[in-house]
Amino acid sequence: MSRKSKRAKAAQIRETMAAEGASVRENTRGFNQGRYDTVADLENYEELKDEARRIKEDAIERLPELIDQLTETIEANGGTVYLAEDEADANEYIASLVESDETVVKSKSMTTEEIEVNEHLEAEGANVVETDLGEWVLQVADEAPSHLVAPAIHKSRESIAELFREQFDPDRPLDTPEDLTAFASEYLADAFENADVGMTGANFLTADSGSMMLVTSEGNARKTVTATDRHVAVAGVEKIVPSVEDLQPFVELIGRSGTGQDITAYISLLTPPVETATFGEDELEGSDDRDFHLVLIDNGRMAMREDEQLRETLYCIRCSACANTCANFQQVGGHEFGGETYTGGIAGGWETGVHGLDSSEEFVDLCTGCSRCVEACPVGIDIPWINTVVRDRINRGAEDHSYDFLVDGLTPDAEEGGMSLQKRFFGNFVTVAKLGSLFAPVSNRLASFGPNRWIAERLLGVDQRRDMPQFSRETLKKWASERDGPADPDREVVFMADTYTNYMHVERGKAAIRALEALNVDVEVADVTESGRAALSQGMVATATRHGERVADELLPHVEDGRDVVIVEPSDLAMLRDDYGRLLDAETYEQLSENSYEILEYVYGLLENGADADALRDGNGTEIAYHGHCQQRTLGLAAHTEAVLEELGYDLVTSDVECCGMAGSFGFKQQYYDVSMAVGEELREQFSTPEAEGRTIVASGTSCHDQLTDLMKQDVPHPIELVAP
Amino acid sequence: MATTAGDATVNQFTAALEELDVGWTLTTTDELPGELERFPEPIVGVPFPFEDVSLPESIPRAERSDGVKAASTGVTAATLGIVEYGSVVVESKPPETEPVSLYADTHVAVVRLEDIVDSMSDAFAELGPRLRETGGNAIIATGPSATADMGALVRGVHGPSDVHVVIVK
């Protein structure tokens, strides 16, 4: 992305946030909280997720066989099945089922959005009416869906009322949600009355019975099928599961995961051609003449199935949990965080698979890899990884090499191609940090110096409004090398000081070492600092892998000598615990993963195993406000920090936002500065309530520290700095 | 059939219905006509696919298209009740069941006590063989039709705004 387009992108995002942000924010947060509340009531939530995942893995593995079985079953029942290779193929077939002057009523279907069937049928002279209220609003407004489940989530009640006034000039005022709903359902009742063809999607298809499952709340899908005697169902091939019983975990998970409802009003299980009576001229008529066509869409899906990295996308049940839980999505919505059709984190996989990398490139950097969506996803898709792979592919395909020579010296990466300078700069930050530390404090003055900031913004897209990190002249490694550890230690650890802790936020590293030594642990500081997190977040998979290999070379001998690995920065720990599973061989990954600990997780373990808490600093009721790190929460480790702080007598309040908004380099980038600050604003509000105001703010992540320091205008230490002697 | 007939089942099922703001009545075959006749007219019904419980003679049958569309109350059988969710399963047997349960303002679902199961798993253990062997439709209906697309939760969009479950002992 060029400088000009970075500025244009920033302006575009600002405009969307101003127009749509408030509605999106309110609704997605409501859904997200609803998810937390409703899954908490489910005793076997984790088992259901595992079961759902297993069913999808198996179904995609056996997909060709299931397509055949489903086709045979439906055809034996008297329906037809058409396997469409791509959009054009699907549209041509669907158009052959509809006469040019006929009316088609539709229930909501993202797959029909993907193939743009409405436009195609309308061009052929048919009248297409969306009957889901949200979809109908968008059809009237001529806008695209901004959310997988609630397509008009970006529109407020006021803007819908205004739209209806303009378009329909209603003879009564339409102000309340009840008025608007009644007006829409009356209008659509006429459409159902005149409809010739009913078109639906399908949330699931069962190969054994030839049934489809539709998940709705309004009842429009039921009416779409009942009111017409020609039913066209359009579904991606990935919607097939082997049997009816396989639907059960999805029925229990889909409403909870998406809109935070235990179950939606109607789960329709239809085995077409359906037996349902329809409305004859005078009397209800039997079901003998019903006509059914299932259009199964490939459109890139069979290739995704063969693509080791994109295959997981096909497990997606399109519940929208990944969008609702995403701090960035909550601010910008699907018109920014989405491609041609699909929205939210999982859109990176869908758009790449069905529309290509160009569609994903527009939005995929809005995924910061914070990982909050992974635990929200009912089938456990590693969405951040898919987006990393997508970024990597975009990087490799990029062609603008014009300024490469300027950054080459600073960026000894393993990437091919001409990826953006901004990505190379942030992805290779360890090199910058080393030099910065070596030349501090001169480098700090230079980095903050106006003209250099201007160059950084022009060339690298580093937003001028951000404070540059300050390099420390003395690295943590140097400081630690001059210390004597405990004479007779109970345990030995190797401390991996991440790039920030070693070169910039040295105080947190010193505190970690003092705390460990006070608990009679011998600490050796590792030579390696960079886990590869910075590179991975820019989609530089090869560079991240190279860093991972160095970390393994350095740390494994320590592990073999019986030392535990301790890390301060959660995003780097997450590399060892989680991401290295994708980058390194299985045995290396397992050894690193099983033997690495977050600093307060380790302290918690020491105290649990009899270490003397008196060796640490007593809280004495000190009032603090704590913000855990996104990846730390996904790893399940925020609780350990909270437990240690409470045991030591601190008076604690905690934030409950999904992410601070800084997310590594994201908040430094010119095009995303406003999104980052909008996400951070939530955190600022939470820490400005009467309960939280005036407390010492502590945060576990480096990014969270930077963001909170900017937002709260106060120093934000790591919790270890409080408890270390 | 996997049922847990008895007071505990009724208590849990009706508690779930109340949480959904769904009305309920516990009655006997003898009292069923009176229980159904009190719902708002015009009222239409569909014969039940049960041997031991029938749609009372006093309830007009759904025959005419305009009669079904204009009905205030639609009475159908529900072939399963699901305690965990307060759901009823409405199957397309006979074929008029779907339009009658969908177009009326109030849907009255009549479920036999012995057809009430505990969990979604239990319901699918019943539905799997039925859909495989005889096809057809099954709607798992939970509470009234609803939308939040117009800025707040509104009941009764394309389906009934009120649901009442009649449990027959």
Side-chain angles (χ1 to χ4, degrees):
Chain A
M1 207 181 284
S2 69
R3 176 178 66 90
K4 190 176 167 194
S5 70
K6 282 192 192 77
R7 280 172 55 182
K9 182 84 177 175
Q12 178 195 314
I13 291 175
R14 264 198 304 279
E15 205 172 298
T16 307
M17 284 201 296
E20 303 179 352
S23 281
V24 171
R25 206 157 44 236
E26 186 188 333
N27 290 311
T28 49
R29 290 228 189 102
F31 290 163
N32 196 39
Q33 190 55 50
R35 174 177 60 82
Y36 282 118
D37 295 343
T38 54
V39 305
D41 294 338
L42 206 53
E43 266 172 42
N44 55 345
Y45 176 51
E46 292 303 326
E47 288 86 41
L48 283 172
K49 281 168 70 175
D50 291 346
E51 180 66 0
R53 169 86 187 189
R54 189 198 59 73
I55 291 166
K56 274 291 185 182
E57 279 179 2
D58 171 59
I60 297 303
E61 179 64 29
R62 291 164 51 197
L63 190 53
E65 169 202 329
L66 293 178
I67 292 173
D68 289 345
Q69 190 192 349
L70 177 69
T71 304
E72 279 167 31
T73 316
I74 288 179
E75 288 179 349
N77 291 345
T80 62
V81 178
Y82 184 80
L83 183 59
E85 201 175 315
D86 56 21
E87 293 178 18
D89 188 11
N91 283 322
E92 197 179 324
Y93 179 74
I94 294 166
S96 76
L97 305 172
V98 180
E99 301 291 328
S100 66
D101 57 348
E102 288 186 319
T103 293
V104 180
V105 283
K106 277 185 72 198
S107 69
K108 195 182 105 55
S109 148
M110 287 310 298
T111 308
T112 61
E113 296 279 348
E114 174 189 325
I115 63 170
E116 298 183 335
V117 73
N118 294 16
E119 289 76 359
H120 192 85
L121 287 175
E122 281 162 359
E124 300 276 319
N127 174 33
V128 183
V129 184
E130 294 285 355
T131 63
D132 170 86
L133 259 46
E135 280 287 340
W136 182 66
V137 164
L138 295 186
Q139 189 179 30
V140 173
D142 193 22
E143 290 179 22
S146 63
H147 187 269
L148 291 174
V149 172
I153 198 171
H154 60 283
K155 296 191 89 68
S156 64
R157 178 176 54 80
E158 294 77 11
S159 70
I160 297 170
E162 180 61 31
L163 175 73
F164 285 5
R165 264 197 295 280
E166 278 171 20
Q167 296 288 323
F168 301 109
D169 192 20
D171 46 21
R172 59 180 197 270
L174 303 175
D175 295 321
T176 65
E178 288 77 12
D179 294 339
L180 293 164
T181 302
F183 179 82
S185 65
E186 278 165 34
Y187 181 97
L188 292 168
D190 286 343
F192 282 119
E193 196 73 26
N194 300 319
D196 302 291
V197 181
M199 187 181 294
T200 68
N203 293 85
F204 295 90
L205 296 156
T206 55
D208 62 344
S209 66
S211 308
M212 72 179 71
M213 175 171 133
L214 294 168
V215 180
T216 69
S217 277
E218 296 177 1
N220 62 310
R222 293 176 68 189
K223 266 194 179 161
T224 298
V225 176
T226 304
T228 59
D229 60 9
R230 206 179 322 149
H231 178 187
V232 180
V234 179
V237 288
E238 84 284 1
K239 300 288 176 66
I240 309 174
V241 294
S243 75
V244 177
E245 285 83 348
D246 289 331
L247 300 173
Q248 174 253 326
F250 298 103
V251 169
E252 304 209 50
L253 288 168
I254 195 166
R256 291 182 162 99
S257 302
T259 48
Q261 298 165 272
D262 291 344
I263 190 168
T264 61
Y266 305 121
I267 304 284
S268 299
L269 304 167
L270 313 177
T271 314
V274 296
E275 294 173 332
T276 296
T278 192
F279 296 104
E281 192 85 7
D282 295 314
E283 307 222 318
L284 289 182
E285 287 173 356
S287 53
D288 297 345
D289 296 334
R290 282 187 170 273
D291 196 9
F292 174 73
H293 301 267
L294 172 65
V295 186
L296 282 175
I297 310 282
D298 177 347
N299 205 31
R301 288 168 174 76
M302 294 311 267
M304 290 166 80
R305 182 174 169 271
E306 300 294 326
D307 184 325
E308 205 184 316
Q309 312 296 351
L310 292 185
R311 183 179 177 124
E312 238 192 327
T313 308
L314 298 173
Y315 306 160
C316 169
I317 61 168
R318 298 179 178 178
C319 69
S320 78
C322 58
N324 302 332
T325 194
C326 172
N328 284 351
F329 190 95
Q330 290 175 359
Q331 298 300 327
V332 302
H335 287 157
E336 290 303 325
F337 200 153
E340 287 180 36
T341 307
Y342 296 101
T343 49
I346 194 62
W350 278 121
E351 288 294 329
T352 301
V354 304
H355 292 130
L357 283 173
D358 285 351
S359 178
S360 298
E361 187 168 9
E362 291 300 312
F363 67 89
V364 74
D365 283 345
L366 280 164
C367 170
T368 63
C370 82
S371 77
R372 298 300 301 141
C373 54
V374 180
E375 68 176 45
C377 176
V379 287
I381 300 174
D382 191 346
I383 294 166
W385 172 254
I386 292 174
N387 288 329
T388 300
V389 169
V390 168
R391 267 193 283 273
D392 186 68
R393 292 182 186 177
I394 291 167
N395 289 344
R396 284 164 198 284
E399 278 171 12
D400 178 15
H401 300 261
S402 49
Y403 287 96
D404 273 11
F405 67 95
L406 282 171
V407 181
D408 270 350
L410 285 175
T411 57
D413 57 51
E415 306 301 314
E416 301 162 13
M419 55 185 292
S420 85
L421 298 178
Q422 187 185 54
K423 290 194 174 202
R424 295 189 73 178
F425 174 76
F426 285 120
N428 290 291
F429 194 71
V430 60
T431 326
V432 181
K434 264 185 197 160
L435 289 172
S437 170
L438 191 61
F439 293 111
V442 178
S443 51
N444 289 329
R445 286 202 296 275
L446 283 177
S448 306
F449 179 54
N452 288 341
R453 291 308 310 274
W454 184 78
I455 289 168
E457 182 165 294
R458 276 181 68 98
L459 198 60
L460 306 171
V462 179
D463 200 285
Q464 292 204 45
R465 289 165 286 189
R466 286 289 182 195
D467 291 331
M468 291 300 262
Q470 297 286 302
F471 301 109
S472 166
R473 187 81 172 93
E474 184 187 46
T475 65
L476 184 72
K477 175 85 185 155
K478 174 87 182 359
W479 175 84
S481 68
E482 288 154 12
R483 286 176 73 82
D484 295 318
D488 182 21
D490 293 327
R491 299 185 76 91
E492 293 179 32
V493 304
V494 54
F495 184 81
M496 183 176 148
D498 59 278
T499 302
Y500 290 85
T501 302
N502 193 48
Y503 298 109
M504 287 167 277
H505 298 302
V506 177
E507 284 311 316
R508 61 184 49 189
K510 291 180 182 174
I513 293 170
R514 286 200 310 272
L516 289 168
E517 287 176 352
L519 297 169
N520 205 30
V521 174
D522 181 71
V523 184
E524 188 165 332
V525 178
D527 280 330
V528 69
T529 65
E530 183 51 55
S531 69
R533 166 62 64 199
L536 199 70
S537 74
Q538 307 305 316
M540 297 159 67
V541 176
T543 305
T545 305
R546 208 178 54 183
H547 284 299
E549 286 161 354
R550 277 196 207 135
V551 168
D553 287 347
E554 164 76 15
L555 296 185
L556 283 183
H558 288 288
V559 171
E560 275 152 22
D561 287 347
R563 291 188 191 94
D564 302 313
V565 179
V566 175
I567 295 178
V568 168
E569 170 58 32
S571 63
D572 290 289
L573 177 73
M575 287 295 283
L576 276 74
R577 283 269 180 99
D578 185 21
D579 299 86
Y580 281 178
R582 306 267 188 186
L583 307 177
L584 305 177
D585 67 80
E587 197 187 337
T588 307
Y589 163 63
E590 249 171 59
Q591 271 188 286
L592 288 177
S593 180
E594 282 168 13
N595 293 292
S596 54
Y597 302 87
E598 192 265 344
I599 177 68
L600 279 137
E601 177 194 16
Y602 201 74
V603 169
Y604 174 87
L606 292 169
L607 296 179
E608 283 292 288
N609 284 290
D612 184 5
D614 291 343
L616 300 175
R617 220 185 318 159
D618 196 320
N620 274 328
T622 308
E623 294 191 331
I624 58 176
Y626 172 59
H627 173 68
H629 180 275
C630 46
Q631 282 156 336
Q632 179 190 12
R633 290 176 61 195
T634 301
L635 291 170
L637 298 178
H640 299 80
T641 299
E642 290 165 24
V644 170
L645 290 170
E646 273 170 3
E647 168 156 2
L648 293 177
Y650 289 87
D651 179 290
L652 192 64
V653 296
T654 57
S655 67
D656 66 358
V657 297
E658 297 288 0
C659 177
C660 73
M662 180 61 97
S665 60
F666 179 80
F668 280 96
K669 291 180 177 173
Q670 189 183 6
Q671 63 272 42
Y672 302 122
Y673 174 80
D674 299 295
V675 184
S676 169
M677 290 307 280
V679 173
E681 181 58 23
E682 306 296 329
L683 188 51
R684 197 192 61 77
E685 279 171 19
Q686 285 196 3
F687 282 170
S688 304
T689 59
E691 193 198 357
E693 210 173 10
R695 286 169 176 258
T696 300
I697 297 173
V698 291
S700 291
T702 307
S703 298
C704 319
H705 163 276
D706 292 348
Q707 178 80 320
L708 277 163
T709 305
D710 266 13
L711 290 167
M712 306 303 295
K713 311 292 176 212
Q714 59 173 278
D715 188 36
V716 178
H718 189 286
I720 197 68
E721 293 177 65
L722 259 58
V723 309
Chain B
M1 191 183 287
T3 59
T4 48
D7 291 347
T9 300
V10 171
N11 289 344
Q12 288 169 35
F13 185 51
T14 54
L17 292 172
E18 280 169 13
E19 218 165 286
L20 295 161
D21 202 14
V22 168
W24 61 272
T25 310
L26 179 65
T27 189
T28 59
T29 358
D30 293 344
E31 287 165 5
L32 185 62
E35 290 297 343
L36 296 179
E37 284 157 19
R38 66 186 178 84
F39 284 97
E41 294 181 357
I43 176 166
V44 294
V46 186
F48 302 158
F50 305 134
E51 284 179 5
D52 50 349
V53 184
S54 308
L55 179 70
E57 292 300 329
S58 56
I59 304 296
R61 268 52 183 169
E63 281 162 5
R64 296 189 57 79
S65 295
D66 52 5
V68 171
K69 286 177 189 167
S72 293
T73 303
V75 180
T76 74
T79 50
L80 291 172
I82 306 170
V83 168
E84 267 184 347
Y85 288 87
S87 311
V88 290
V89 175
V90 181
E91 293 191 65
S92 55
K93 291 176 175 85
E96 299 88 338
T97 307
E98 176 67 356
V100 168
S101 65
L102 182 61
Y103 277 75
D105 300 326
T106 299
H107 174 216
V108 178
V110 179
V111 63
R112 297 182 299 184
L113 180 58
E114 71 256 37
D115 291 333
I116 299 173
V117 299
D118 283 335
S119 67
M120 195 57 74
S121 299
D122 294 340
F124 270 87
E126 297 288 334
L127 290 170
R130 288 188 206 176
L131 290 176
R132 271 189 296 275
E133 284 154 26
T134 57
N137 295 354
I139 311 293
I140 303 171
T142 313
S145 156
T147 188
D149 285 348
M150 298 293 167
L153 192 70
V154 179
R155 291 168 58 148
V157 191
H158 299 295
S161 52
D162 282 295
V163 178
H164 194 98
V165 175
V166 177
I167 304 162
V168 184
K169 286 192 276 202

